[in-house]
Amino acid sequence: MRSRLPTLKIVAEAAGVHVSTVSRALDSSKRHLIGPDVLKRIEETALRLGYRRDMAAAALRTHRSRLIGVVVPDIANPVFAPIIAGITSRMSDGGYSTIVADVGQQAGRQDALIDELTARRVDGLILATARIADPGITELIRSGMPMVLVNRSSDGLPVPAVTSDDRLGMRLIVQHLAQLGHRRIAHLAGPQAISTGRNRKDGFVTAMQEAGLPVLPSMIAEATAYDTESGEIAALHLLQQAPFPTAIAAANDLLAIGVLRTLRDQGLSCPDSISVTGFNDMPLVDMIHPPLTTIRIKGNDMGREAAELLLQRIDHPAGPFVRRMILPELMIRRSTLTVS
Amino acid sequence: MRSRLPTLKIVAEAAGVHVSTVSRALDSSKRHLIGPDVLKRIEETALRLGYRRDMAAAALRTHRSRLIGVVVPDIANPVFAPIIAGITSRMSDGGYSTIVADVGQQAGRQDALIDELTARRVDGLILATARIADPGITELIRSGMPMVLVNRSSDGLPVPAVTSDDRLGMRLIVQHLAQLGHRRIAHLAGPQAISTGRNRKDGFVTAMQEAGLPVLPSMIAEATAYDTESGEIAALHLLQQAPFPTAIAAANDLLAIGVLRTLRDQGLSCPDSISVTGFNDMPLVDMIHPPLTTIRIKGNDMGREAAELLLQRIDHPAGPFVRRMILPELMIRRSTLTVS
DNA sequence: CTGAAAGCGCTTACAG
DNA sequence: CTGAAAGCGCTTACAG
């Protein structure tokens, strides 16, 4: 049987004072109100009895749960793990606990998850699941829930967001390829309903134009999801086009791996016949064959920053809406080569 | 400003009934007590006002938070993501929310995290951080907290655990290598303070003996942590021994990748000069060079099963202590080859 | 079938 | 500096 934890009342009786006095003594911001001898007695008693404040009961009184929720599309996707780690670490330092809600396979679960978090009276929400046009977010904004988007942003909504600078990331890729002498560069775009997909594609087009390179519609394929299967299918499509690309810039590492698979199936080699780049710098992409040139998006920083912004919004709900971008970093490895 | 959510009282007034009636009407296990017309009126009113039950307030009354905590050594380690996904998915189906506490870099944070979870009055705990001899767990058991260990287990403690069958996994590896004709098989063991490290090593020794192969002390090296750096160091040590191994069975994929790096540095090739195996089947190890022969540990199943067991312990705290093992699966890829 | 009341463990405005 | 009281939003044993 579980022995119930001691309450404030138990501690108060043991220390011979009133519960309100114990409550103050154990609250760092009110401790100064208590006389030194009484304070000492209370602290000793609390320690001896193993007292732990019941946060849920405190939340009921104060209307602050010090609990936040983060909704991710797929917790098992290595891209999100560092983001979650960054969030929980920063929130924990700020005295908050984090409930991670994983949408996983059934996309319809998102609403149910947000309901669950609402029932927990979370003080705020971090969403890693935003779509460019997202009615669910509009609704949340109306409810007044403090909220921050991370990794993916939405269009035209008054909501803070922390993302990697996806346009810049893709520009770094294009510049790198152009420098290697590539002119016929194809883009394997991500889902265009998600900001990462759209912004990386935008960045691709812009950077190509800046570099004076042609942007042919036949050189852009769209994957339906960020996974290797979609990458394989889209890559196959790209390879059937004329002119034949000398490089393929994928919107995501998994898509790039799909490209590598297709190349292998077709008897083509990377980087000798064709250069390939990814995006995200997932764990182990430096160990695949060939080690993948990609963009590091610094998920941990992104998570910390999103947590920071959420903390600000919780304390100042009427503050300005900040959109922050984390600088991406080009990781040059062996999947890109001078064009022959 | 945040508009407060409606309470039971608000709904009761709007529906013209007492709060207790609303409470019953909205509880599926008590709904049958309410007359059909009143029930309908309450349901409509609750829906119209957007009522969501405050779980924290309910928890205060019932002493059940329907919240559990899971403590992981490192959320960014791809091994744990599927386990967490399995846990949250099963717990969510059971009406529970999950707080993920990430120990991360500072190992000392573990106690603070458990304090935090205690303050939240979690109904139970799943620990993925157990050490073989773990005084912290002994203490938790004494507190009566329902608890389940996952992935890593502890010795001689009355606590349920769900792990992969690490001994069997390593036996599958050794049998596979033996079948390929290897006789001088080395083991790059994991940390021996953790059950995965110890059991995989045990499994290695046993399987070698079963196969009639020699177990030389010089053929076993211990890594200090499950990361590539430790793998590189231990591999270097192994390669300086005589007789020279024809295969290295690592206790973990990251260690195996460390081995591959060291081999490359030494100008040796895998699988031609030496076969290498991993453990865990992390994402992308099928794409590295060479694709890694390894053991799939089915993290998602492990997580679900751990959640299942925790649910049982919460409902029946005095039930028997079950230890369950998930069957591992040998994934044969190209890092292992017939001995030449 | 429905209501009235007590109480879960806290915090805080109000007194003194 | 400390105490007494009210109340946060629920649930449930007790009445009727």
Side-chain angles (χ1 to χ4, degrees), chain A residues 1-6 52-57 60 63 65-67 75-76 78 81-82 84-85 88 92-93 95-100 102 109 113 115-116 118-124 143-146 254 257 260-261 264 282-289 317 334, chain B residues 1-6 52-57 60 63 65-67 75-76 78 81-82 84-85 88 92-93 95-100 102 109 113 115-116 118-124 143-146 254 257 260-261 264 282-289 317 334:
Chain A
M1 283 295 85
R2 180 112 87 104
S3 54
R4 213 108 88 197
L5 287 165
R52 332 254 86 199
R53 182 215 259 97
D54 182 333
M55 300 281 278
L60 184 58
H63 298 290
S65 63
R66 296 201 160 266
L67 204 57
I75 207 173
I84 298 171
T88 55
S92 181
D93 290 348
Y96 282 75
S97 300
T98 302
I99 295 181
V100 178
D102 178 26
R109 261 165 51 82
L113 292 174
D115 262 21
E116 178 184 320
T118 305
R120 295 282 168 197
R121 298 298 188 268
V122 292
D123 289 336
S143 80
M145 173 74 84
L254 293 174
I257 286 168
L260 294 177
R261 287 211 173 123
R264 190 181 305 164
M282 277 174 52
L284 298 197
V285 294
D286 57 328
M287 288 301 298
I288 67 175
H289 180 68
R334 283 194 258 135
Chain B
M1 283 292 85
R2 180 109 89 104
S3 55
R4 212 108 88 199
L5 287 164
R52 334 254 85 199
R53 182 213 261 96
D54 183 332
M55 301 281 279
L60 184 58
H63 298 291
S65 63
R66 296 201 162 266
L67 204 56
I75 206 173
I84 298 173
T88 56
S92 181
D93 289 348
Y96 282 75
S97 300
T98 303
I99 296 181
V100 178
D102 178 27
R109 262 165 50 83
L113 290 175
D115 262 22
E116 178 185 320
T118 306
R120 295 280 169 197
R121 298 299 188 267
V122 291
D123 289 336
S143 80
M145 173 74 83
L254 293 174
I257 286 169
L260 294 177
R261 287 210 173 123
R264 190 180 307 165
M282 275 174 52
L284 298 197
V285 294
D286 57 328
M287 288 299 299
I288 66 175
H289 181 69
R334 282 192 260 135

Side-chain angles (χ1 to χ4, degrees), chain B residues 18 21 24 33-35 38 60-61 63:
Chain B
H18 194 263
T21 309
R24 290 183 193 107
L33 292 168
I34 307 298
V38 177
L60 184 58
R61 245 321 295 238
H63 298 291

Side-chain angles (χ1 to χ4, degrees), chain B residues 75-112:
Chain B
I75 206 173
N77 180 335
V79 174
F80 297 103
I83 296 177
I84 298 173
I87 293 172
T88 56
S89 165
R90 178 67 187 93
M91 293 311 297
S92 181
D93 289 348
Y96 282 75
S97 300
T98 303
I99 296 181
V100 178
D102 178 27
V103 173
Q105 306 319 321
Q106 323 100 292
R109 262 165 50 83
Q110 166 134 14
D111 288 352

Side-chain angles (χ1 to χ4, degrees), chain A residues 217-228:
Chain A
S218 68
M219 287 289 217
I220 299 185
E222 270 173 34
T224 51
Y226 281 128
D227 55 40
T228 53

Side-chain angles (χ1 to χ4, degrees), chain A residues 7-316:
Chain A
T7 65
L8 226 39
K9 195 170 153 211
I10 303 285
V11 177
E13 279 164 6
V17 292
H18 194 262
V19 284
S20 57
T21 309
V22 181
S23 176
R24 291 184 192 106
L26 268 25
D27 176 346
S28 57
S29 74
K30 302 238 171 67
R31 213 195 306 291
H32 64 276
L33 293 168
I34 309 297
D37 44 340
V38 178
L39 182 58
K40 185 155 177 260
R41 197 164 77 243
I42 292 174
E43 279 173 337
E44 280 171 3
T45 312
L47 192 66
R48 179 165 54 81
L49 299 180
Y51 175 77
R52 332 254 86 199
R53 182 215 259 97
D54 182 333
M55 300 281 278
L60 184 58
R61 246 321 293 237
T62 60
H63 298 290
R64 298 197 58 181
S65 63
R66 296 201 160 266
L67 204 57
I68 65 129
V70 13
V71 185
V72 294
D74 180 11
I75 207 173
N77 179 334
V79 173
F80 297 104
I83 296 177
I84 298 171
I87 292 172
T88 55
S89 166
R90 178 65 188 94
M91 293 310 299
S92 181
D93 290 348
Y96 282 75
S97 300
T98 302
I99 295 181
V100 178
D102 178 26
V103 173
Q105 306 319 321
Q106 325 101 290
R109 261 165 51 82
Q110 165 133 15
D111 288 352
L113 292 174
I114 289 180
D115 262 21
E116 178 184 320
L117 295 169
T118 305
R120 295 282 168 197
R121 298 298 188 268
V122 292
D123 289 336
L125 232 38
I126 296 180
L127 302 184
T129 50
R131 304 178 71 78
I132 292 175
D134 204 318
I137 293 178
T138 314
E139 184 143 343
L140 276 169
I141 291 172
R142 206 173 29 217
S143 80
M145 173 74 84
M147 189 175 33
V148 174
L149 309 184
V150 70
N151 192 42
R152 305 175 177 181
S153 64
S154 275
D155 258 10
L157 254 31
V159 53
V162 182
T163 58
S164 188
D165 190 336
D166 289 321
R167 286 192 180 83
L168 173 57
M170 198 46 87
R171 171 189 277 157
L172 294 175
I173 289 283
V174 170
Q175 285 172 350
H176 166 63
L177 290 170
Q179 228 158 39
L180 292 175
H182 292 274
R183 290 188 49 84
R184 297 197 306 279
I185 306 173
H187 179 47
L188 204 169
Q192 294 297 299
I194 297 172
S195 69
T196 51
R198 192 196 51 185
N199 293 343
R200 288 168 198 176
K201 184 177 164 188
D202 277 7
F204 173 80
V205 171
T206 310
M208 287 291 280
Q209 290 166 345
E210 282 173 4
L213 298 177
V215 180
L216 283 72
S218 68
M219 287 289 217
I220 299 185
E222 270 173 34
T224 51
Y226 281 128
D227 55 40
T228 53
E229 292 73 22
S230 305
E232 289 185 55
I233 295 165
L236 204 55
H237 177 77
L238 239 28
L239 294 176
Q240 288 160 347
Q241 304 299 314
F244 199 79
T246 63
I248 299 181
N252 165 289
D253 289 341
L254 293 174
L255 294 179
I257 286 168
V259 175
L260 294 177
R261 287 211 173 123
T262 295
L263 290 177
R264 190 181 305 164
D265 292 348
Q266 304 282 309
L268 292 164
S269 95
C270 169
D272 302 303
S273 354
I274 191 163
S275 288
V276 173
T277 63
F279 209 108
N280 281 359
D281 198 25
M282 277 174 52
L284 298 197
V285 294
D286 57 328
M287 288 301 298
I288 67 175
H289 180 68
L292 193 64
T293 294
T294 188
I295 294 291
R296 178 169 290 176
I297 64 165
K298 296 182 190 151
N300 198 81
D301 291 357
M302 232 156 65
R304 295 194 79 83
E305 193 62 34
E308 196 69 48
L309 252 46
L310 183 62
L311 254 13
Q312 285 177 25
R313 283 212 77 70
I314 290 172
D315 288 338
H316 310 287

